[in-house]
Amino acid sequence: MTARGLMILLSGLAIPLHAQTPRTLSANDQRARDIFEQLININTTGSSGSTTAASQALADWLLKAGLPPADVQIIGLAGSTNHNLIARYRGTGGQKPILLLAHIDVVEARREDWSLDPFTLTEKDGFFYGRGTLDVKDGAAILVATLARLKQEGYRPNRDLILALTTGEEGGSDYNGVEWLLENHRDLIEAEYVINMDAGDPVMVNGKRLFRSVQAAEKVYVTFKLEVHNPGGHSSLPTKENAIYRLAAALGRVSAYEFPARLNEITRTFFQRMALLQQGQLASDMAAAGAPGGGDTAAIRRLSDVSPLYNAQFRTTCVATELAGGHAENALPQSASATINCRMLPGTPQAEVQEALTRVVADTAVSISVVTPAIPSPMAAHKPEVMNQIERVTKRLWNIPVMPVMETGATDGLYLRNAGIPVYGVSGVFVDINDVRAHGKDERIGVQDYYDGAEYIYQLVKAVSSTQR
Ligand SMILES: [Zn+2]
């Protein structure tokens, strides 16, 4: 065997699980790919990008597919270069519209930090690489591809389908598109419920497809500041009173504290169904934790210790994230402060958490103030007709279980939930829990996972907009 032949053989063996032999794409897959590529190649970061540019490119796809110009709008805060795309796919109007949501802004990505150009879609070894491939330009491109495909087929939904591709979810933009739309153009996005691409992923582990999650609730973000002030003085004459020591002692008590476990309808169902996918102690602990009527405390303890994710499902969490103090190397500190970021279980009042922190800190010299107040994100009452369609499409295409989940992070869904519009996080693209690169270096998704996701969302949108009640 020649050296070259050997190399080819070895590189063949090294091809990861995802690698596909090149194939001719169907017209639908090709369009979904072209939209995705164009979108990834437009920089939409807060620092140097523009979601207006992305909105324009995506609007062109919808117009080309036959949506009337009056139903495709690019709007946003006056003077901003970060506008949103809102499109309305008209149905027979029998029922209240469904809102299809994805954000098109992305987290910053520096070329020197990446192996590849983050703003060029690269297909390599069975993956699509680029900033936003996973969070969440895949979902935005898939929604545009879905509407284009439906239009081409002459499909008439039983209600309007509203597409909102928005700015500001990642926080780098000058405003949040969903919040702005609710305040200024609520009529444009008024819907019975929302399908959000930015949450609720189908999940795989090392390439094996396990279950599809549906985000039905999310925890609520709130941030506090702990602060100690002190007259200070010369560091050659230390006093017992020291702002840094005082704060450090308080932080020690916060670190040792754990909020009580409180399960809700969603987390209970989650653990019950997860139990069926596990074995041994883990399976029995999950079943016991998710049992109706409270859950077994020993099981909850073990699960909380096994994984930060399980722990965060059970309880409100608070954690120190920033620390500051002192003003000179040779001076006693006049102040010391720490940021405490909390993620509250839905339905928890902010005051309850602040009171708990005050009790735990147990020191009146430590002041506790709110830095970022909570925006409530109430749990939606489950609509069985939506969950049933998700179950049906999932069974038909993937034959895996559906898990309702409470997201531990926050999404734009919170503004809509807070405005009384239920939100279902249902993305189409499988995420490998051992390879999550959202916000990170060399962000990627599987190529086949992208095309499968486009098919899934197409079928789901059709299913929820053609059923009779
Ligand atoms: Zn996102």
Short mmCIF file of all heavy atoms in Angstrom, two decimals, residues 109-174:
data_model
loop_
_atom_site.label_atom_id
_atom_site.label_comp_id
_atom_site.label_asym_id
_atom_site.label_seq_id
_atom_site.Cartn_x
_atom_site.Cartn_y
_atom_site.Cartn_z
N ALA A 109 -17.99 36.94 18.36
CA ALA A 109 -17.05 35.87 18.02
C ALA A 109 -15.83 36.52 17.39
O ALA A 109 -15.96 37.27 16.42
CB ALA A 109 -17.68 34.89 17.05
N ARG A 110 -14.66 36.25 17.94
CA ARG A 110 -13.45 36.85 17.39
C ARG A 110 -12.73 35.83 16.52
O ARG A 110 -12.52 34.69 16.94
CB ARG A 110 -12.53 37.33 18.53
CG ARG A 110 -13.16 38.47 19.33
CD ARG A 110 -12.16 39.10 20.25
NE ARG A 110 -11.50 38.07 21.06
CZ ARG A 110 -10.67 38.35 22.06
NH1 ARG A 110 -10.40 39.61 22.35
NH2 ARG A 110 -10.11 37.39 22.76
N ARG A 111 -12.35 36.27 15.33
CA ARG A 111 -11.69 35.39 14.38
C ARG A 111 -10.50 34.67 14.99
O ARG A 111 -10.30 33.48 14.78
CB ARG A 111 -11.25 36.19 13.13
CG ARG A 111 -10.49 35.38 12.08
CD ARG A 111 -11.37 34.29 11.47
NE ARG A 111 -10.63 33.39 10.59
CZ ARG A 111 -10.07 32.24 10.98
NH1 ARG A 111 -10.10 31.89 12.26
NH2 ARG A 111 -9.46 31.46 10.13
N GLU A 112 -9.71 35.41 15.81
CA GLU A 112 -8.49 34.82 16.36
C GLU A 112 -8.79 33.74 17.41
O GLU A 112 -7.94 32.90 17.71
CB GLU A 112 -7.56 35.90 16.94
CG GLU A 112 -8.14 36.75 18.04
CD GLU A 112 -8.85 38.02 17.54
OE1 GLU A 112 -9.42 38.00 16.43
OE2 GLU A 112 -8.85 39.01 18.29
N ASP A 113 -10.00 33.75 17.96
CA ASP A 113 -10.36 32.72 18.95
C ASP A 113 -10.83 31.43 18.27
O ASP A 113 -10.90 30.38 18.90
CB ASP A 113 -11.50 33.21 19.85
CG ASP A 113 -11.07 34.36 20.74
OD1 ASP A 113 -9.84 34.53 20.93
OD2 ASP A 113 -11.94 35.09 21.24
N TRP A 114 -11.23 31.54 17.00
CA TRP A 114 -11.83 30.39 16.29
C TRP A 114 -10.81 29.71 15.37
O TRP A 114 -9.86 30.34 14.91
CB TRP A 114 -13.01 30.89 15.44
CG TRP A 114 -14.29 31.11 16.19
CD1 TRP A 114 -14.45 31.83 17.33
CD2 TRP A 114 -15.58 30.60 15.84
NE1 TRP A 114 -15.78 31.81 17.70
CE2 TRP A 114 -16.49 31.06 16.81
CE3 TRP A 114 -16.07 29.80 14.79
CZ2 TRP A 114 -17.86 30.75 16.77
CZ3 TRP A 114 -17.42 29.49 14.76
CH2 TRP A 114 -18.29 29.95 15.74
N SER A 115 -11.09 28.44 15.07
CA SER A 115 -10.27 27.75 14.06
C SER A 115 -10.70 28.14 12.65
O SER A 115 -9.94 28.01 11.70
CB SER A 115 -10.42 26.24 14.18
OG SER A 115 -10.44 25.84 15.50
N LEU A 116 -11.98 28.59 12.53
CA LEU A 116 -12.52 28.95 11.22
C LEU A 116 -13.12 30.34 11.32
O LEU A 116 -13.36 30.84 12.42
CB LEU A 116 -13.64 27.99 10.82
CG LEU A 116 -13.37 26.49 10.90
CD1 LEU A 116 -14.53 25.78 11.54
CD2 LEU A 116 -13.13 25.98 9.49
N ASP A 117 -13.40 30.95 10.17
CA ASP A 117 -14.06 32.26 10.20
C ASP A 117 -15.48 32.10 10.76
O ASP A 117 -16.29 31.40 10.18
CB ASP A 117 -14.11 32.83 8.78
CG ASP A 117 -14.81 34.19 8.74
OD1 ASP A 117 -15.17 34.71 9.82
OD2 ASP A 117 -15.00 34.72 7.63
N PRO A 118 -15.78 32.74 11.90
CA PRO A 118 -17.11 32.56 12.49
C PRO A 118 -18.25 33.11 11.62
O PRO A 118 -19.40 32.72 11.82
CB PRO A 118 -17.02 33.32 13.82
CG PRO A 118 -15.81 34.17 13.75
CD PRO A 118 -14.89 33.57 12.75
N PHE A 119 -17.93 33.99 10.69
CA PHE A 119 -18.99 34.60 9.87
C PHE A 119 -18.98 34.08 8.43
O PHE A 119 -19.37 34.78 7.50
CB PHE A 119 -18.91 36.13 9.95
CG PHE A 119 -19.05 36.62 11.37
CD1 PHE A 119 -17.97 37.12 12.06
CD2 PHE A 119 -20.27 36.51 12.03
CE1 PHE A 119 -18.08 37.53 13.39
CE2 PHE A 119 -20.40 36.91 13.36
CZ PHE A 119 -19.31 37.42 14.03
N THR A 120 -18.52 32.85 8.27
CA THR A 120 -18.63 32.16 6.99
C THR A 120 -19.12 30.75 7.30
O THR A 120 -18.49 30.04 8.10
CB THR A 120 -17.25 32.06 6.30
OG1 THR A 120 -16.74 33.37 6.11
CG2 THR A 120 -17.37 31.37 4.95
N LEU A 121 -20.23 30.37 6.72
CA LEU A 121 -20.71 29.02 6.97
C LEU A 121 -19.73 28.03 6.34
O LEU A 121 -19.45 28.09 5.15
CB LEU A 121 -22.10 28.80 6.38
CG LEU A 121 -22.69 27.42 6.71
CD1 LEU A 121 -23.26 27.41 8.14
CD2 LEU A 121 -23.76 27.00 5.73
N THR A 122 -19.20 27.14 7.17
CA THR A 122 -18.25 26.13 6.69
C THR A 122 -18.85 24.75 6.91
O THR A 122 -19.27 24.44 8.03
CB THR A 122 -16.92 26.22 7.45
OG1 THR A 122 -16.43 27.56 7.37
CG2 THR A 122 -15.90 25.26 6.87
N GLU A 123 -18.92 23.96 5.85
CA GLU A 123 -19.36 22.58 6.01
C GLU A 123 -18.13 21.70 6.02
O GLU A 123 -17.34 21.71 5.08
CB GLU A 123 -20.31 22.18 4.86
CG GLU A 123 -20.85 20.77 5.03
CD GLU A 123 -21.91 20.39 4.00
OE1 GLU A 123 -22.47 21.30 3.34
OE2 GLU A 123 -22.15 19.18 3.84
N LYS A 124 -17.95 20.94 7.11
CA LYS A 124 -16.72 20.17 7.27
C LYS A 124 -17.00 18.94 8.12
O LYS A 124 -17.59 19.06 9.20
CB LYS A 124 -15.69 21.07 7.97
CG LYS A 124 -14.27 20.57 7.95
CD LYS A 124 -13.32 21.71 8.41
CE LYS A 124 -12.02 21.16 8.90
NZ LYS A 124 -11.91 21.04 10.35
N ASP A 125 -16.59 17.80 7.67
CA ASP A 125 -16.72 16.54 8.43
C ASP A 125 -18.13 16.30 8.98
O ASP A 125 -18.30 15.81 10.09
CB ASP A 125 -15.73 16.52 9.62
CG ASP A 125 -14.29 16.63 9.16
OD1 ASP A 125 -14.01 16.26 8.00
OD2 ASP A 125 -13.44 17.10 9.94
N GLY A 126 -19.12 16.68 8.22
CA GLY A 126 -20.49 16.42 8.66
C GLY A 126 -21.08 17.47 9.57
O GLY A 126 -22.15 17.27 10.13
N PHE A 127 -20.38 18.58 9.75
CA PHE A 127 -20.90 19.66 10.59
C PHE A 127 -20.98 20.97 9.81
O PHE A 127 -20.19 21.21 8.89
CB PHE A 127 -20.00 19.89 11.80
CG PHE A 127 -20.01 18.78 12.79
CD1 PHE A 127 -19.04 17.78 12.76
CD2 PHE A 127 -21.00 18.70 13.78
CE1 PHE A 127 -19.05 16.73 13.68
CE2 PHE A 127 -21.02 17.66 14.69
CZ PHE A 127 -20.04 16.67 14.64
N PHE A 128 -21.92 21.82 10.21
CA PHE A 128 -21.94 23.22 9.79
C PHE A 128 -21.32 24.04 10.91
O PHE A 128 -21.78 23.98 12.04
CB PHE A 128 -23.37 23.71 9.57
CG PHE A 128 -24.01 23.26 8.29
CD1 PHE A 128 -25.26 22.65 8.31
CD2 PHE A 128 -23.39 23.48 7.07
CE1 PHE A 128 -25.88 22.25 7.13
CE2 PHE A 128 -24.00 23.08 5.88
CZ PHE A 128 -25.25 22.47 5.90
N TYR A 129 -20.27 24.80 10.58
CA TYR A 129 -19.62 25.67 11.56
C TYR A 129 -19.96 27.12 11.28
O TYR A 129 -20.07 27.53 10.12
CB TYR A 129 -18.10 25.53 11.48
CG TYR A 129 -17.56 24.22 11.99
CD1 TYR A 129 -17.52 23.10 11.17
CD2 TYR A 129 -17.07 24.11 13.29
CE1 TYR A 129 -17.02 21.89 11.64
CE2 TYR A 129 -16.56 22.91 13.77
CZ TYR A 129 -16.55 21.80 12.93
OH TYR A 129 -16.04 20.62 13.41
N GLY A 130 -20.05 27.91 12.33
CA GLY A 130 -20.24 29.35 12.20
C GLY A 130 -20.96 29.89 13.41
O GLY A 130 -21.67 29.14 14.10
N ARG A 131 -20.73 31.17 13.71
CA ARG A 131 -21.44 31.78 14.85
C ARG A 131 -22.95 31.80 14.56
O ARG A 131 -23.36 32.31 13.52
CB ARG A 131 -20.91 33.19 15.12
CG ARG A 131 -21.70 33.96 16.16
CD ARG A 131 -21.77 33.24 17.52
NE ARG A 131 -20.67 33.53 18.41
CZ ARG A 131 -20.06 32.58 19.14
NH1 ARG A 131 -20.44 31.32 19.09
NH2 ARG A 131 -19.07 32.92 19.94
N GLY A 132 -23.71 31.24 15.46
CA GLY A 132 -25.16 31.21 15.29
C GLY A 132 -25.68 29.93 14.67
O GLY A 132 -26.89 29.76 14.53
N THR A 133 -24.78 29.00 14.30
CA THR A 133 -25.28 27.75 13.70
C THR A 133 -26.22 27.03 14.67
O THR A 133 -27.17 26.39 14.26
CB THR A 133 -24.13 26.80 13.32
OG1 THR A 133 -23.21 26.71 14.39
CG2 THR A 133 -23.41 27.28 12.06
N LEU A 134 -25.93 27.17 15.97
CA LEU A 134 -26.75 26.50 16.98
C LEU A 134 -27.67 27.49 17.70
O LEU A 134 -28.78 27.15 18.10
CB LEU A 134 -25.82 25.79 17.98
CG LEU A 134 -26.41 25.17 19.24
CD1 LEU A 134 -27.47 24.13 18.90
CD2 LEU A 134 -25.31 24.51 20.07
N ASP A 135 -27.22 28.73 17.87
CA ASP A 135 -27.95 29.72 18.68
C ASP A 135 -28.05 31.04 17.93
O ASP A 135 -27.19 31.87 18.05
CB ASP A 135 -27.21 29.90 20.01
CG ASP A 135 -27.97 30.81 20.96
OD1 ASP A 135 -29.14 31.13 20.69
OD2 ASP A 135 -27.38 31.21 21.97
N VAL A 136 -29.15 31.26 17.21
CA VAL A 136 -30.11 30.27 16.80
C VAL A 136 -30.51 30.58 15.35
O VAL A 136 -31.66 30.59 14.99
CB VAL A 136 -31.32 30.25 17.79
CG1 VAL A 136 -32.08 31.56 17.74
CG2 VAL A 136 -32.22 29.09 17.60
N LYS A 137 -29.48 30.87 14.55
CA LYS A 137 -29.72 31.16 13.15
C LYS A 137 -30.21 29.93 12.41
O LYS A 137 -30.86 30.05 11.35
CB LYS A 137 -28.46 31.73 12.49
CG LYS A 137 -28.22 33.20 12.87
CD LYS A 137 -27.00 33.78 12.20
CE LYS A 137 -26.98 35.31 12.37
NZ LYS A 137 -25.75 35.91 11.80
N ASP A 138 -29.90 28.75 12.95
CA ASP A 138 -30.46 27.54 12.34
C ASP A 138 -31.98 27.59 12.39
O ASP A 138 -32.67 27.36 11.39
CB ASP A 138 -29.91 26.28 13.03
CG ASP A 138 -30.14 26.26 14.55
OD1 ASP A 138 -30.37 27.34 15.13
OD2 ASP A 138 -30.07 25.17 15.14
N GLY A 139 -32.50 27.94 13.56
CA GLY A 139 -33.96 28.01 13.73
C GLY A 139 -34.58 29.10 12.87
O GLY A 139 -35.63 28.90 12.26
N ALA A 140 -33.92 30.26 12.79
CA ALA A 140 -34.44 31.37 11.98
C ALA A 140 -34.49 30.97 10.51
O ALA A 140 -35.49 31.19 9.81
CB ALA A 140 -33.58 32.61 12.18
N ALA A 141 -33.40 30.36 10.02
CA ALA A 141 -33.34 29.94 8.62
C ALA A 141 -34.39 28.87 8.33
O ALA A 141 -35.05 28.88 7.27
CB ALA A 141 -31.94 29.43 8.28
N ILE A 142 -34.56 27.97 9.27
CA ILE A 142 -35.54 26.90 9.09
C ILE A 142 -36.95 27.46 9.02
O ILE A 142 -37.78 27.00 8.21
CB ILE A 142 -35.39 25.85 10.22
CG1 ILE A 142 -34.18 24.95 9.94
CG2 ILE A 142 -36.66 25.03 10.39
CD1 ILE A 142 -33.82 23.99 11.07
N LEU A 143 -37.26 28.46 9.82
CA LEU A 143 -38.60 29.05 9.78
C LEU A 143 -38.85 29.72 8.42
O LEU A 143 -39.93 29.59 7.84
CB LEU A 143 -38.79 30.07 10.92
CG LEU A 143 -38.93 29.47 12.32
CD1 LEU A 143 -39.03 30.58 13.36
CD2 LEU A 143 -40.15 28.55 12.41
N VAL A 144 -37.85 30.44 7.92
CA VAL A 144 -38.00 31.09 6.61
C VAL A 144 -38.17 30.02 5.52
O VAL A 144 -39.05 30.11 4.65
CB VAL A 144 -36.80 32.01 6.31
CG1 VAL A 144 -36.85 32.53 4.88
CG2 VAL A 144 -36.77 33.18 7.30
N ALA A 145 -37.35 28.97 5.60
CA ALA A 145 -37.44 27.89 4.62
C ALA A 145 -38.81 27.21 4.68
O ALA A 145 -39.39 26.84 3.65
CB ALA A 145 -36.33 26.87 4.87
N THR A 146 -39.33 27.06 5.90
CA THR A 146 -40.64 26.42 6.08
C THR A 146 -41.74 27.23 5.41
O THR A 146 -42.57 26.69 4.66
CB THR A 146 -40.95 26.27 7.59
OG1 THR A 146 -40.00 25.37 8.16
CG2 THR A 146 -42.35 25.73 7.82
N LEU A 147 -41.76 28.55 5.67
CA LEU A 147 -42.81 29.38 5.07
C LEU A 147 -42.68 29.40 3.55
O LEU A 147 -43.69 29.36 2.83
CB LEU A 147 -42.78 30.80 5.65
CG LEU A 147 -43.14 30.94 7.13
CD1 LEU A 147 -43.38 32.40 7.50
CD2 LEU A 147 -44.36 30.11 7.53
N ALA A 148 -41.44 29.46 3.06
CA ALA A 148 -41.24 29.46 1.60
C ALA A 148 -41.76 28.16 0.99
O ALA A 148 -42.43 28.16 -0.04
CB ALA A 148 -39.75 29.65 1.29
N ARG A 149 -41.48 27.06 1.68
CA ARG A 149 -41.92 25.75 1.17
C ARG A 149 -43.45 25.64 1.19
O ARG A 149 -44.06 25.16 0.22
CB ARG A 149 -41.29 24.66 2.04
CG ARG A 149 -41.61 23.25 1.58
CD ARG A 149 -40.79 22.25 2.39
NE ARG A 149 -41.26 20.89 2.16
CZ ARG A 149 -40.83 19.84 2.86
NH1 ARG A 149 -39.95 19.99 3.82
NH2 ARG A 149 -41.31 18.63 2.59
N LEU A 150 -44.06 26.09 2.28
CA LEU A 150 -45.52 26.03 2.38
C LEU A 150 -46.16 26.89 1.30
O LEU A 150 -47.16 26.51 0.68
CB LEU A 150 -45.97 26.48 3.77
CG LEU A 150 -45.61 25.56 4.94
CD1 LEU A 150 -45.94 26.23 6.27
CD2 LEU A 150 -46.33 24.22 4.83
N LYS A 151 -45.58 28.06 1.07
CA LYS A 151 -46.13 28.98 0.08
C LYS A 151 -46.05 28.34 -1.31
O LYS A 151 -47.01 28.40 -2.09
CB LYS A 151 -45.34 30.30 0.10
CG LYS A 151 -45.99 31.43 -0.65
CD LYS A 151 -47.20 31.95 0.12
CE LYS A 151 -48.07 32.83 -0.76
NZ LYS A 151 -49.36 33.15 -0.10
N GLN A 152 -44.91 27.75 -1.58
CA GLN A 152 -44.70 27.12 -2.87
C GLN A 152 -45.72 25.99 -3.11
O GLN A 152 -46.16 25.76 -4.23
CB GLN A 152 -43.29 26.53 -2.90
CG GLN A 152 -42.78 26.20 -4.27
CD GLN A 152 -41.32 25.80 -4.19
OE1 GLN A 152 -40.88 25.11 -3.26
NE2 GLN A 152 -40.54 26.23 -5.16
N GLU A 153 -46.08 25.33 -2.02
CA GLU A 153 -47.06 24.23 -2.14
C GLU A 153 -48.49 24.74 -2.19
O GLU A 153 -49.43 23.95 -2.31
CB GLU A 153 -46.90 23.28 -0.93
CG GLU A 153 -45.61 22.49 -0.95
CD GLU A 153 -45.38 21.72 0.34
OE1 GLU A 153 -46.19 21.85 1.29
OE2 GLU A 153 -44.40 20.97 0.40
N GLY A 154 -48.66 26.05 -2.03
CA GLY A 154 -50.02 26.60 -2.04
C GLY A 154 -50.80 26.28 -0.78
O GLY A 154 -52.03 26.28 -0.76
N TYR A 155 -50.10 26.03 0.31
CA TYR A 155 -50.74 25.62 1.57
C TYR A 155 -51.55 26.76 2.19
O TYR A 155 -51.08 27.89 2.26
CB TYR A 155 -49.65 25.16 2.54
CG TYR A 155 -50.13 24.81 3.91
CD1 TYR A 155 -50.96 23.71 4.12
CD2 TYR A 155 -49.77 25.57 5.02
CE1 TYR A 155 -51.41 23.38 5.39
CE2 TYR A 155 -50.20 25.24 6.29
CZ TYR A 155 -51.02 24.15 6.48
OH TYR A 155 -51.46 23.83 7.73
N ARG A 156 -52.77 26.46 2.63
CA ARG A 156 -53.60 27.44 3.36
C ARG A 156 -53.76 26.98 4.80
O ARG A 156 -54.51 26.04 5.06
CB ARG A 156 -55.01 27.54 2.73
CG ARG A 156 -55.10 28.24 1.39
CD ARG A 156 -54.81 29.74 1.40
NE ARG A 156 -55.60 30.60 2.30
CZ ARG A 156 -56.84 31.03 2.05
NH1 ARG A 156 -57.49 30.66 0.97
NH2 ARG A 156 -57.44 31.83 2.90
N PRO A 157 -53.07 27.59 5.73
CA PRO A 157 -53.27 27.21 7.13
C PRO A 157 -54.64 27.64 7.64
O PRO A 157 -55.28 28.51 7.04
CB PRO A 157 -52.16 27.96 7.87
CG PRO A 157 -51.77 29.07 6.97
CD PRO A 157 -52.10 28.67 5.57
N ASN A 158 -55.09 27.05 8.74
CA ASN A 158 -56.41 27.39 9.29
C ASN A 158 -56.35 28.69 10.10
O ASN A 158 -57.32 29.09 10.73
CB ASN A 158 -56.96 26.24 10.13
CG ASN A 158 -56.10 25.92 11.34
OD1 ASN A 158 -55.12 26.62 11.62
ND2 ASN A 158 -56.45 24.88 12.06
N ARG A 159 -55.22 29.35 10.10
CA ARG A 159 -55.03 30.61 10.83
C ARG A 159 -53.76 31.25 10.31
O ARG A 159 -52.95 30.59 9.65
CB ARG A 159 -54.88 30.32 12.31
CG ARG A 159 -53.86 29.21 12.54
CD ARG A 159 -53.50 29.07 13.96
NE ARG A 159 -54.06 27.88 14.58
CZ ARG A 159 -54.22 27.76 15.90
NH1 ARG A 159 -53.90 28.75 16.68
NH2 ARG A 159 -54.70 26.68 16.43
N ASP A 160 -53.56 32.51 10.63
CA ASP A 160 -52.34 33.18 10.18
C ASP A 160 -51.14 32.60 10.93
O ASP A 160 -51.22 32.29 12.12
CB ASP A 160 -52.40 34.68 10.47
CG ASP A 160 -53.40 35.40 9.55
OD1 ASP A 160 -54.02 34.71 8.70
OD2 ASP A 160 -53.56 36.62 9.71
N LEU A 161 -50.03 32.48 10.20
CA LEU A 161 -48.76 32.14 10.81
C LEU A 161 -47.91 33.40 10.81
O LEU A 161 -47.66 33.98 9.74
CB LEU A 161 -48.05 31.04 10.00
CG LEU A 161 -48.83 29.74 9.81
CD1 LEU A 161 -48.14 28.85 8.79
CD2 LEU A 161 -48.99 29.01 11.14
N ILE A 162 -47.53 33.85 11.99
CA ILE A 162 -46.72 35.08 12.06
C ILE A 162 -45.28 34.68 12.34
O ILE A 162 -45.01 33.89 13.24
CB ILE A 162 -47.22 36.00 13.19
CG1 ILE A 162 -48.70 36.37 12.98
CG2 ILE A 162 -46.36 37.26 13.27
CD1 ILE A 162 -49.33 37.05 14.18
N LEU A 163 -44.39 35.24 11.54
CA LEU A 163 -42.96 34.98 11.74
C LEU A 163 -42.33 36.23 12.36
O LEU A 163 -42.48 37.33 11.84
CB LEU A 163 -42.29 34.69 10.39
CG LEU A 163 -40.78 34.53 10.40
CD1 LEU A 163 -40.36 33.28 11.15
CD2 LEU A 163 -40.24 34.49 8.96
N ALA A 164 -41.65 36.06 13.48
CA ALA A 164 -40.92 37.18 14.09
C ALA A 164 -39.47 36.76 14.29
O ALA A 164 -39.18 35.85 15.06
CB ALA A 164 -41.55 37.57 15.43
N LEU A 165 -38.58 37.41 13.54
CA LEU A 165 -37.14 37.16 13.69
C LEU A 165 -36.56 38.43 14.28
O LEU A 165 -36.58 39.50 13.65
CB LEU A 165 -36.52 36.83 12.32
CG LEU A 165 -37.16 35.60 11.64
CD1 LEU A 165 -36.53 35.34 10.29
CD2 LEU A 165 -37.07 34.36 12.52
N THR A 166 -36.06 38.32 15.50
CA THR A 166 -35.87 39.52 16.31
C THR A 166 -34.42 39.75 16.73
O THR A 166 -33.58 38.87 16.64
CB THR A 166 -36.75 39.44 17.58
OG1 THR A 166 -36.34 38.29 18.32
CG2 THR A 166 -38.21 39.34 17.22
N THR A 167 -34.21 40.94 17.25
CA THR A 167 -32.87 41.37 17.69
C THR A 167 -32.78 41.39 19.21
O THR A 167 -33.81 41.36 19.91
CB THR A 167 -32.57 42.77 17.12
OG1 THR A 167 -31.18 43.05 17.28
CG2 THR A 167 -33.37 43.85 17.85
N GLY A 168 -31.57 41.43 19.72
CA GLY A 168 -31.36 41.78 21.12
C GLY A 168 -31.50 40.67 22.14
O GLY A 168 -31.39 40.93 23.33
N GLU A 169 -31.69 39.44 21.69
CA GLU A 169 -31.84 38.37 22.69
C GLU A 169 -30.55 38.15 23.45
O GLU A 169 -30.56 37.88 24.64
CB GLU A 169 -32.29 37.08 22.02
CG GLU A 169 -32.89 36.05 22.99
CD GLU A 169 -31.85 35.16 23.69
OE1 GLU A 169 -30.71 35.04 23.21
OE2 GLU A 169 -32.19 34.60 24.75
N GLU A 170 -29.44 38.27 22.76
CA GLU A 170 -28.14 38.00 23.40
C GLU A 170 -27.64 39.18 24.21
O GLU A 170 -26.58 39.10 24.83
CB GLU A 170 -27.10 37.61 22.33
CG GLU A 170 -27.47 36.37 21.51
CD GLU A 170 -27.47 35.07 22.34
OE1 GLU A 170 -27.25 35.13 23.55
OE2 GLU A 170 -27.70 34.02 21.73
N GLY A 171 -28.37 40.29 24.16
CA GLY A 171 -28.02 41.41 25.01
C GLY A 171 -27.02 42.39 24.42
O GLY A 171 -26.78 43.44 24.99
N GLY A 172 -26.44 42.08 23.26
CA GLY A 172 -25.45 42.99 22.68
C GLY A 172 -26.06 44.11 21.86
O GLY A 172 -25.43 45.14 21.60
N SER A 173 -27.31 43.93 21.45
CA SER A 173 -27.99 44.93 20.62
C SER A 173 -28.43 46.12 21.46
O SER A 173 -28.32 46.10 22.68
CB SER A 173 -29.20 44.26 19.96
OG SER A 173 -29.94 45.20 19.22
N ASP A 174 -28.91 47.19 20.81
CA ASP A 174 -29.30 48.37 21.57
C ASP A 174 -30.68 48.23 22.24
O ASP A 174 -31.06 49.07 23.04
CB ASP A 174 -29.23 49.64 20.70
CG ASP A 174 -29.59 49.39 19.25
OD1 ASP A 174 -29.92 48.24 18.89
OD2 ASP A 174 -29.57 50.35 18.46
#
